[in-house]
Amino acid sequence: MSIRTILHYPDPRLRCVAAPIAQVDDAVRRLVDDMAETMYQAPGIGLAAIQVNEARRIIVIDISETRDQLQVFINPEIFYRAGEQEREEGCLSVPGVYGSVLRADRIRVRALNRDGQAFEIEAEGLLATCIQHEIDHLDGKVFVDYLSRLKQSRIRKKFEKQQRLAM
């Protein structure tokens, strides 16, 4: 396992749409393990493969307090949404920035696990938010896309300035 570099907004690679996984093999499992280690080290509660410059439909999530309940979703697909919740979100690709986002409160998701076995779960609250947030990444969206144009502009300028200063 190795820790991967997390892409930071407004890196254009975050706008890529991830490709489905045709077969879960050892290379996919290694990527899952790397993503989990990267997420835990960051520290975060979710990470999409696109955030580590892998345009593949994989997300890892662990919302537990003990950080020992990793959930892996390969080719995740939301097929049911109900209710609404507004929750403040942050993102490992947009460090230090938080904003309120309106999302479905309850969802049903089908995906493959780390071993390539199909499963379905119903999620609500924080887990539902996290799954929707990470699937957005797979579709080329970042949570700041839900914020006002003014906030988006300020965030973009802040990160562009940080990138210029880092050079």
Side-chain angles (χ1 to χ4, degrees), residues 8-15 93 155-156 159-160 163:
H8 287 147
Y9 180 84
D11 191 310
R13 294 172 290 182
L14 290 169
R15 298 301 183 177
S93 289
I155 293 165
R156 176 178 288 280
F159 280 90
E160 286 172 345
Q163 288 174 347

Side-chain angles (χ1 to χ4, degrees), residues 21-53:
I21 302 294
Q23 180 180 350
V24 177
D25 56 17
D26 287 342
V28 169
R29 285 186 280 277
R30 273 192 303 278
L31 175 57
V32 166
D33 294 344
D34 288 354
M35 289 173 59
E37 187 172 354
T38 301
M39 176 188 71
Y40 287 131
Q41 189 271 339
I45 61 171
L47 188 69
I50 203 77
Q51 292 176 272
V52 292
N53 199 27

